[in-house]
């Protein structure tokens, strides 16, 4: 639940950037990136726990990829590639099991 809370909060702040004046934009941008990073940490902890299976894991990996895209720095572009590979592997597993 914490991962989703941070994720939803980050998405809200990210969208608000377009509605604020130029002087406030950077503040909103930095806050959204901070929240995305916290959300990604929570998602990673959840993924590592093994609690997510099949479609839940696929959905989480898609969200994690989107988060990396929103953060956009070089480190998170590398992490995104790792998540892309994991997502493809999970989809193949699901297809093999007939889901």
């Amino acid at each position: 639940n914490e991962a989703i809370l941070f994720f939803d909060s980050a998405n809200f702040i990210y969208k608000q950037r377009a509605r604020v004046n130029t002087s406030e934009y950077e503040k909103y941008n930095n806050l959204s990136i901070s929240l995305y990073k916290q959300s990604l940490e929570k998602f990673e902890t959840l993924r590592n726990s093994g609690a997510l299976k099949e479609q839940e894991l696929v959905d989480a990996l898609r969200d994690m990829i989107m988060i990396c895209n929103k953060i956009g720095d070089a480190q998170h572009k590398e992490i995104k590639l790792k998540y892309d590979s994991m997502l493809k592997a999970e989809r193949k597993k699901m297809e093999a099991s007939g889901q």
Side-chain angles (χ1 to χ4, degrees), residues 66-79:
M66 192 276 299
I67 290 168
C68 289
N69 285 334
K70 297 274 181 156
I71 294 171
D73 62 19
Q75 175 190 5
H76 287 87
K77 287 179 184 180
E78 293 284 326
I79 295 170

Side-chain angles (χ1 to χ4, degrees), residues 42-52 57 60-61 64 82-83 86:
K42 301 292 183 186
F43 273 120
E44 185 64 29
T45 300
L46 185 58
R47 186 189 66 77
N48 284 330
S49 75
L52 299 177
L57 180 55
L61 286 167
M64 293 164 80
K82 177 180 88 169
Y83 295 147
M86 289 178 187

Side-chain angles (χ1 to χ4, degrees), residues 4 84 93 95:
I4 299 298
D84 283 335
K93 278 193 236 177
E95 287 174 11

Side-chain angles (χ1 to χ4, degrees), residues 24-63:
E24 294 288 304
Y25 179 88
E26 197 60 36
K27 180 174 97 176
Y28 279 71
N29 190 57
N30 290 337
L31 179 56
S32 70
I33 289 172
S34 174
L35 290 169
Y36 279 129
K37 287 179 179 179
Q38 291 175 64
S39 176
L40 190 59
E41 288 175 17
K42 301 292 183 186
F43 273 120
E44 185 64 29
T45 300
L46 185 58
R47 186 189 66 77
N48 284 330
S49 75
L52 299 177
K53 304 288 183 204
E54 300 164 351
Q55 190 61 48
E56 288 178 332
L57 180 55
V58 167
D59 292 343
L61 286 167
R62 280 199 318 246
D63 288 342

Side-chain angles (χ1 to χ4, degrees), residues 6-22:
F6 281 110
F7 183 61
D8 289 346
S9 298
N11 282 332
F12 177 78
I13 299 297
Y14 188 84
K15 290 175 187 173
Q16 293 301 313
R17 298 174 324 155
R19 296 185 177 135
V20 299
N21 61 35
T22 309

